[in-house]
Amino acid sequence: MILRQCLAVDAIGAADKADLYLIPTPDVPFVQDGFRDGESVRSWMHARFVEQLSEGRVNWRQLNGTYAERLQQAENAVTELMSKSWESE
């Protein structure tokens, strides 16, 4: 399977910015929930997200480990972001 960059998707990503992106690593079992593209593109998509976020000036964190560890990492990242927003006001 050959996957290519989609300029329309890149344009959406360039226009919409969030305060924090949480990117989970693909190191836990894949679960299809009806919305995901599929396990066959999982690693590729993760690499593209990391590549795109690394090129920009956005705040992001990579989440890895067990589900509990990922949750803790996400909570820490959001807490850190919130404390910074309070400090700047």
Side-chain angles (χ1 to χ4, degrees):
M1 174 190 312
I2 297 175
L3 300 172
R4 289 180 267 246
Q5 182 174 354
C6 178
L7 298 178
V9 172
D10 287 348
I12 293 168
D16 294 331
K17 299 291 182 210
D19 293 326
L20 175 65
Y21 293 90
L22 301 174
I23 307 299
T25 57
D27 59 354
V28 294
F30 179 79
V31 177
Q32 181 53 265
D33 59 6
F35 293 101
R36 300 175 193 192
D37 290 320
E39 188 167 12
S40 64
V41 297
R42 189 177 185 205
S43 293
W44 177 83
M45 288 181 70
H46 173 75
R48 281 293 289 146
F49 291 144
V50 169
E51 178 185 337
Q52 290 287 87
L53 291 170
S54 296
E55 291 174 359
R57 293 185 211 161
V58 296
N59 191 15
W60 68 283
R61 298 289 184 277
Q62 188 161 261
L63 309 176
N64 54 43
T66 66
Y67 291 116
E69 291 168 333
R70 291 166 185 249
L71 178 59
Q72 187 61 59
Q73 292 165 22
E75 289 175 351
N76 292 345
V78 171
T79 298
E80 178 184 335
L81 176 68
M82 296 302 293
S83 68
K84 287 180 182 178
S85 68
W86 284 108
E87 292 171 4
S88 64
E89 291 183 9

